[in-house]
Amino acid sequence: MTILELKNVKKVYETKNVTTEALNEINFSVKKGEFISIMGESGAGKTTLLNIIATLDKATAGTVLLNGQDITALQDKEISKFRRKELGFVFQDFNLLDQFSNKDNIFLPLVLSEIEPTDMKLRLEKLQSSLGIEEILEKYPYEVSGGQKQRVAIARAAITGPSLLLADEPTGALDSAASEAILNLFNKINEKGQTVLMVTHSLRASSYAKRVLFIKDGIVYHEIYRGENESRGEFMERINQAQFMLNRGDK
Ligand SMILES: Nc1ncnc2c1ncn2[C@@H]1O[C@H](COP(=O)(O)OP(=O)(O)OP(=O)(O)O)[C@@H](O)[C@H]1O
Ligand SMILES: [Mg+2]
């Protein structure tokens, strides 16, 4: 089942005297249960693309269908409700609110959706042990490590059971051990059925995905799938080679 479909998505930024074509013609689709990484060099348009899918920014042209609904046609007043219902976000810099405990940060999207407190607790109980956050729920974001903050952010993103979990460089602010733990978590929640779309320039992060798309010159230039019996190391090597060829201009 297709969850997300992008057709001829274009994004042009017009500033005072500079026009930047960030995305030219992006086409791809995502099936339920996939774990996709989108790679590209700095400035390739990864964040732009994610923001458009996240309804945080509007495409200049093209359509984005999420569960068959064209999100580019949503009215402003429908957008926030749609976003809360369908999407979860994980950012490089966590975006937790320091005035709330970690637990209340996780509950925030449920509070906004007017979910009953007993239901909130049940949902958290289901998530907390696999995310390894039981010990830090009563603490505040400024009292825990970066890796722990990102676990809380993942819990906040996953607790609504979104159609799609979006992540922009989720390990960009973490050291390698914390990164590995976070990527293993993405794997775990993906194995439970959560569809994940991550953008990153990290080879290592991408090797955790099942499919890698490469964007360059505003289009999806190439894609590779992880083989059924392929190890993560082997996949990383193939991603590396593909990226090398791409940077040389080959396909
Ligand atoms: N708000 C904006 N106004 C004008 N130009 C922008 C804006 N945001 C991004 N751009 C430009 O669009 C292009 C794509 O930017 P984007 O942030 O999507 O790249 P990226 O692939 O996420 O890069 P990085 O890996 O460095 O995060 C760049 O040339 C950038 O300068
Ligand atoms: Mg970016």
Side-chain angles (χ1 to χ4, degrees):
M1 191 180 105
T2 300
I3 280 198
L4 176 72
E5 192 171 5
L6 280 81
K7 293 183 198 161
N8 304 327
V9 170
K10 189 184 197 70
K11 178 68 182 181
V12 180
Y13 288 110
E14 306 265 7
T15 44
K16 247 188 231 156
N17 38 25
V18 191
T19 300
T20 309
E21 187 180 82
L23 303 172
N24 177 15
E25 201 178 85
I26 297 284
N27 288 288
F28 68 92
S29 55
V30 177
K31 291 202 182 80
K32 187 171 164 48
E34 280 200 283
F35 181 0
I36 296 185
S37 170
I38 296 181
M39 294 194 79
E41 292 190 321
S42 181
K46 302 183 295 298
T47 297
T48 301
L49 177 60
L50 207 74
N51 286 346
I52 290 171
I53 298 169
T55 67
L56 298 169
D57 199 356
K58 280 202 185 300
T60 309
T63 51
V64 180
L65 301 173
L66 187 66
N67 285 329
Q69 185 171 10
D70 183 1
I71 66 173
T72 58
L74 285 175
Q75 302 292 315
D76 285 345
K77 60 180 193 308
E78 301 167 325
I79 284 180
S80 54
K81 193 170 169 204
F82 175 85
R83 201 186 287 147
R84 274 206 304 275
K85 188 159 164 271
E86 303 285 352
L87 301 170
F89 303 96
V90 177
F91 302 91
Q92 175 169 350
D93 50 5
F94 324 121
N95 281 15
L96 299 173
L97 300 173
D98 269 337
Q99 62 272 42
F100 291 134
S101 69
N102 289 325
K103 190 201 247 171
D104 287 341
N105 267 282
I106 297 169
F107 282 159
L108 197 59
L110 299 180
V111 171
L112 295 172
S113 300
E114 297 174 16
I115 305 286
E116 293 292 323
T118 44
D119 187 12
M120 297 206 272
K121 282 189 193 124
L122 276 176
R123 291 193 196 207
L124 182 58
E125 274 163 24
K126 274 194 205 153
L127 273 180
Q128 62 191 25
S129 68
S130 63
L131 290 179
I133 51 175
E134 293 112 315
E135 310 294 314
I136 55 167
L137 287 172
E138 302 302 332
K139 288 188 164 188
Y140 284 76
Y142 54 83
E143 296 175 322
V144 300
S145 72
Q148 288 171 328
K149 280 194 192 95
Q150 199 61 307
R151 286 166 189 275
V152 171
I154 292 173
R156 181 185 56 184
I159 200 159
T160 57
S163 300
L164 190 60
L165 199 156
L166 299 169
D168 191 355
E169 296 284 4
T171 59
L174 303 176
D175 66 25
S176 60
S179 296
E180 202 165 309
I182 289 300
L183 291 162
N184 278 319
L185 275 187
F186 277 113
N187 251 164
K188 218 186 222 176
I189 58 175
N190 171 247
E191 273 163 16
K192 285 187 185 161
Q194 176 66 60
T195 313
V196 181
L197 183 68
M198 163 175 84
V199 307
T200 180
H201 63 263
S202 159
L203 282 174
R204 183 168 296 276
S206 288
S207 71
Y208 283 78
K210 292 179 188 149
R211 172 156 66 120
V212 180
L213 304 179
F214 296 88
I215 57 173
K216 190 188 168 189
D217 301 332
I219 62 167
V220 177
Y221 224 78
H222 191 52
E223 66 172 338
I224 55 177
Y225 282 85
R226 178 158 169 192
E228 232 166 81
N229 299 312
E230 190 173 24
S231 72
R232 218 170 42 71
E234 287 165 344
F235 190 39
M236 190 157 101
E237 187 47 41
R238 272 205 305 133
I239 300 168
N240 189 20
Q241 277 168 13
Q243 194 180 44
F244 177 74
M245 307 273 265
L246 228 70
N247 293 345
R248 266 197 350 194
D250 313 350
K251 207 164 178 178

